[in-house]
Amino acid sequence: SGTALAEIDNEKRLLSENTSIYIPLGCKHRLSNPGKLDLTLIEVQSGSYLGEDDIERFEDNYGRVENKKTF
């Protein structure tokens, strides 16, 4: 529920309830809530490896600093 702003590489796309988006392997991406209502989503991962230790954070508004990269 709610509205999500998905940014994949340099493309921005608004998503509403009951929609989905595919993020290809290796694409720089971000998801945010541009609306006033709470955003609730379901993330589905696929592939042979589903760990999160390979995440590279380029920018982080939540104070997580591990694996942070600058460019």
Side-chain angles (χ1 to χ4, degrees), residues 3-68:
T3 301
L5 175 62
E7 298 177 58
I8 303 174
D9 288 332
N10 293 320
E11 180 184 336
K12 294 181 181 181
R13 181 172 155 194
L14 281 174
L15 303 171
S16 58
E17 189 172 340
N18 294 318
T19 60
S20 63
I21 193 163
Y22 175 75
I23 302 170
L25 181 66
C27 287
K28 186 176 174 182
H29 59 281
R30 173 196 323 232
L31 188 67
S32 60
N33 180 1
K36 294 182 180 181
L37 301 175
D38 287 343
L39 173 62
T40 303
L41 61 97
I42 298 171
E43 175 185 353
V44 178
Q45 297 180 358
S46 62
S48 60
Y49 181 72
L50 302 178
E52 295 193 359
D53 60 333
D54 59 344
I55 295 173
E56 296 179 29
R57 299 198 190 283
F58 292 92
E59 184 178 323
D60 190 348
N61 298 334
Y62 303 103
R64 300 168 295 197
V65 294
E66 75 281 354
N67 300 326
K68 188 172 181 180

